[in-house]
Amino acid sequence: MDSPAARGHCLFATAIGTCGIAWGPAGIVAVQLPDAGNEATRQRLLRNAGEELPAAEPPPEVQAAIAGALEPDLFGPPGA
C-alpha cells in the first residue's frame, strides 16, 4: 500500500450501522463497530488506531476487505 492513500480512515454503512476502518502502509490497523453516532465511531476508531489518520477514499485492498469480508460475511448487506 505505497500510494497517496496509504494512510487513512473511512466510515461505511452496514446492516448494524455505520462502522469504520483505518489503514496504514502495512495494511488495516483498526476496525470499529457502530458507536452512538458517526462522529463517536470515528473518534473511537482513530483512538484505537493509535494515530491521527486523514479521512480518505480507501485503496483497493481496503475496499476489498470491506466488500468481501466485513460487510456481507460479518454484518449482512446494508439495510438487511
Side-chain angles (χ1 to χ4, degrees):
M1 253 192 257
D2 225 2
S3 69
R7 295 169 27 95
H9 78 277
C10 71
L11 301 181
F12 59 96
T14 72
I16 64 169
T18 300
C19 294
I21 190 166
W23 61 91
I28 295 170
V29 297
V31 176
Q32 181 60 48
L33 294 173
D35 208 315
N38 288 356
E39 191 54 32
T41 300
R42 181 184 323 278
Q43 288 175 5
R44 186 170 292 211
L45 171 72
L46 294 175
R47 192 167 49 248
N48 291 337
E51 61 182 309
E52 189 67 31
L53 298 167
E57 184 69 27
E61 301 91 338
V62 176
Q63 289 178 9
I66 293 169
L70 297 177
E71 279 183 358
D73 294 340
L74 297 179
F75 308 125

